[in-house]
Amino acid sequence: MRTVHVHTGKPYDIMIERGILDRCGAYVRELTQAEKVVVVTDDNVAPHYLWRVINALDQQGLQVKTHIFPAGEKSKTLDTIADIYKVLADFRMTRKDVLVALGGGVCGDMTGFAAATYLRGVGFMQIPTSLLAQVDSSVGGKTGVDLPQGKNLVGAFHQPFAVLIDPDTLKTLPDKFIADGMGEVIKYGCIKNAAFFDFLENENLTDRIEDVIEVCVSIKRDVVSRDEHEAGERMLLNFGHTLGHAIEKLRGFAGITHGMAVAVGMVLMARAGERNGHTEAGTADRIVRLCEKYGLPTEDSATVHGMAEAAKGDKKTAGSRINLVLLRKIGDSFTLNLPLNELEAFITE
């Protein structure tokens, strides 16, 4: 087993091992005083893995309820949270009881937000089953839901008590969702680790998946441990996300995955950085080639004006200004605080 310890205000471990899914009940019993567990998952994941999680919890004598929601970003709403609250209330959950998020980033974000707000905070475990969730969204304690005006505009910081990563769950993912996760994987090389970026350029991901997951969560662990509530360095994790979120919003959160939108956002920000003298020449082309290697798009039909307008509702805005994440070169990132009215000109090709 590979274990990555997260040093936040509420420390916890990320455990990476094939087959760990079947031992989730033992970890709930060991790490909490729970008697009741609500497992939240979606209708894509449930047929593959829900029975195994229920069986593992049953073996520990835990009382279990489940909530299954329709898969996809369109379910990431306050209405779904209200449905989860109803399950928790009807089950008479107490503060010692816990939730389990079994699924991808949407499931983890929503389950975490429900846990953060029900009874003013109960525990939850992350069992991420998508590559994107395993390398990124399950770690760090960011939870939340979308509004029509933008992504993740309602949320809370709430750390899980454990993250269990079973790489075998990736075997049931369509290629589209492996590519989706690679958007976040490539981001980590861009912002913090040039050697990892080189590795992704030269190696076959599927042959070294545990290494990839461990590197990504270790980078995020280090950043989150130093800046749990995104007051400074943690903003760097948003490379490609400002424009990526804008593209998702313009698409109505349909037709493009989060990782794909982030890939386009990274390319656009790298090109803008080069044009404005912040980024080493050739950086954007390297990102384009790596994105294309893993089946990610590098451009979108959205207009620069549309993206700039959509980005004005991003949670990284502060008054009349916005924090953009740029690269000096691969592996070296920084934030640039820019007036919102200069954003469109900054990213215009």
Side-chain angles (χ1 to χ4, degrees), residues 268-298:
L268 289 171
M269 291 310 300
R271 294 210 186 283
E274 289 185 32
R275 282 194 308 274
N276 289 278
H278 299 290
T279 305
E280 182 178 84
T283 299
D285 287 342
R286 285 188 71 190
I287 296 172
V288 166
R289 288 193 295 270
L290 189 54
C291 287
E292 290 176 344
K293 175 181 176 179
Y294 291 105
L296 288 162
T298 57

Side-chain angles (χ1 to χ4, degrees), residues 21-22 24 39 41-42 45-59 64 66 68 102 172:
L21 191 74
D22 297 308
C24 65
V39 183
T41 190
D42 67 45
V45 174
H48 296 288
Y49 303 116
L50 181 56
W51 67 272
R52 289 173 59 185
V53 170
I54 292 173
N55 184 56
L57 295 167
D58 282 343
Q59 288 177 0
V64 183
T66 63
I68 303 171
L102 174 67
T172 56

Side-chain angles (χ1 to χ4, degrees), residues 76-274:
K76 194 176 170 184
T77 66
L78 289 169
D79 287 340
T80 306
I81 295 296
D83 293 338
I84 296 172
Y85 289 154
K86 184 177 187 307
V87 174
L88 303 180
D90 288 346
F91 197 28
R92 297 186 178 178
M93 292 271 284
T94 70
R95 283 184 176 170
K96 73 176 183 179
D97 297 319
V98 301
L99 287 81
V100 171
L102 174 67
V106 169
C107 179
D109 284 1
M110 289 199 300
T111 305
F113 182 63
T117 49
Y118 189 72
L119 300 179
R120 297 191 176 94
V122 297
F124 83 110
M125 172 188 281
Q126 289 271 20
I127 306 180
T129 60
S130 72
L131 181 59
L132 186 147
Q134 290 183 358
V135 300
D136 185 76
S137 63
S138 66
V139 179
K142 273 190 178 181
T143 74
V145 295
D146 304 335
L147 297 180
Q149 293 84 355
K151 281 199 59 151
N152 300 322
L153 293 183
V154 177
F157 289 99
H158 190 58
Q159 302 293 346
F161 64 81
V163 180
L164 307 186
I165 298 177
D166 187 340
D168 282 341
T169 61
L170 302 179
K171 293 176 181 178
T172 56
L173 286 180
D175 291 344
K176 172 183 177 181
F177 293 104
I178 295 295
D180 181 43
M182 285 306 300
E184 294 287 359
V185 172
I186 292 168
K187 175 197 75 177
Y188 283 108
C190 287
I191 65 170
K192 284 288 183 181
N193 193 324
F196 183 55
F197 193 96
D198 295 343
F199 166 84
L200 295 172
E201 288 179 314
N202 297 309
E203 297 289 337
N204 186 338
L205 163 73
T206 55
D207 295 338
R208 304 282 296 276
I209 191 63
E210 284 99 338
D211 293 332
V212 169
I213 294 169
E214 185 175 17
V215 168
C216 291
V217 298
S218 295
I219 293 172
K220 187 163 188 180
R221 179 272 314 272
D222 292 343
V223 172
V224 169
S225 296
R226 291 189 292 263
D227 181 17
E228 183 172 356
H229 295 106
E230 202 170 34
E233 184 184 5
R234 188 167 180 169
M235 292 182 190
L236 299 177
L237 299 174
N238 292 317
F239 178 57
H241 285 59
T242 296
L243 298 183
H245 285 170
I247 291 167
E248 289 182 90
K249 179 180 175 182
L250 292 169
R251 295 281 200 99
F253 304 111
I256 190 169
T257 66
H258 174 69
M260 292 174 179
V262 166
V264 176
M266 290 190 294
V267 172
L268 289 171
M269 291 310 300
R271 294 210 186 283
E274 289 185 32

